[in-house]
Amino acid sequence: LLQHNDDTEDVSLFDAEEETTNRPRKSKIRHPVASFFHLFFRVSAIVVYLLCELLSSSFITCMVTIILLLSCDFWAVKNVTGRLMVGLRWWNHIDEDGKSHWVFESRKESSQENKTVSEAESRIFWLGLIACPVLWVIFAFSALFSFRVKWLAVVIMGVVLQGANLYGYIRCKVGSRKNLTSMATSYFGKQFLRQNTGDDQIS
């Protein structure tokens, strides 16, 4: 495993995944339970939010139900489904000095990964991880512009909890903040050079 922190080093924290079989990478779902719960909690929270007024006349009941579903989703995605479905994990620990450290881990690109990661599971994971926070952002703007103030706390919690998982797994996938910065700099540098080269050819 490759651990992204202030100092990059090789670690072996996915002990359970070392017992994977030697079957080649396929499109079939190898962790159906994890794949189900990866989508179940977050989709259920969205469905309850959209149908709340039809399901119950009590705002408190709907709010508590949505918050419970969002909390279960946050825990499941952060601690279980990311590790099983795509070989990624992020977490936080506090050292002896009381300083907080964020750790972003990803399995090394190797032949072993091809044996443990399913393409179908990867698509399910990233689709659910990206689409649902986008929907909560839309709900937040909708609640704001329609003056549904009482729902703002709920939708903001949805944005924060699911957005945190999205950010954490993007950091795991892409690398540390330094890597993100260097990628952005490289991209804009290439675009600038390409534009200048095109202008020179035209002139």
Side-chain angles (χ1 to χ4, degrees):
L1 299 177
L2 184 62
Q3 176 177 1
H4 301 297
N5 203 341
D6 293 335
D7 297 321
T8 302
E9 57 180 309
D10 291 337
V11 295
S12 298
L13 295 179
F14 288 85
D15 297 331
E17 294 301 307
E18 299 299 328
E19 301 175 358
T20 53
T21 61
N22 292 325
R23 288 177 295 180
R25 179 172 179 169
K26 298 181 179 180
S27 296
K28 68 178 183 179
I29 297 175
R30 298 185 60 247
H31 302 95
V33 176
S35 300
F36 172 78
F37 282 105
H38 177 71
L39 297 176
F40 174 76
F41 291 121
R42 54 184 48 214
V43 172
S44 297
I46 291 174
V47 170
V48 172
Y49 175 78
L50 292 175
L51 303 179
C52 181
E53 295 180 355
L54 297 177
L55 296 175
S56 174
S57 59
S58 173
F59 168 74
I60 299 298
T61 301
C62 292
M63 181 183 68
V64 170
T65 302
I66 294 171
I67 291 175
L68 285 175
L69 289 170
L70 289 172
S71 300
C72 292
D73 170 75
F74 178 81
W75 183 89
V77 174
K78 178 179 178 294
N79 296 295
V80 180
T81 64
R83 177 172 61 87
L84 293 177
M85 297 175 68
V86 291
L88 302 174
R89 183 169 67 175
W90 65 276
W91 51 286
N92 173 268
H93 72 92
I94 299 176
D95 59 21
E96 296 178 353
D97 299 327
K99 185 177 180 180
S100 179
H101 297 275
W102 293 93
V103 182
F104 303 91
E105 299 172 346
S106 60
R107 187 180 291 113
K108 284 184 176 180
E109 296 285 345
S110 63
S111 60
Q112 181 67 21
E113 182 183 21
N114 294 333
K115 303 173 185 177
T116 59
V117 176
S118 163
E119 292 180 357
E121 286 184 347
S122 180
R123 293 192 189 100
I124 292 172
F125 179 84
W126 289 108
L127 178 63
L129 194 71
I130 295 172
C132 292
V134 171
L135 289 176
W136 283 111
V137 170
I138 295 174
F139 295 157
F141 281 106
S142 175
L144 182 63
F145 292 126
S146 61
F147 301 102
R148 300 176 65 192
V149 180
K150 65 179 182 179
W151 286 104
L152 275 179
V154 177
V155 295
I156 288 175
M157 179 165 289
V159 172
V160 170
L161 290 179
Q162 298 196 352
N165 265 327
L166 176 60
Y167 174 76
Y169 281 113
I170 289 177
R171 286 284 301 272
C172 293
K173 186 70 175 178
V174 179
S176 64
R177 184 176 302 174
K178 294 179 181 178
N179 290 337
L180 290 172
T181 304
S182 63
M183 286 182 61
T185 304
S186 175
Y187 172 79
F188 288 115
K190 289 179 181 178
Q191 293 297 320
F192 178 77
L193 291 175
R194 186 177 302 171
Q195 183 177 358
N196 288 343
T197 302
D199 293 340
D200 292 339
Q201 291 177 350
I202 296 175
S203 59

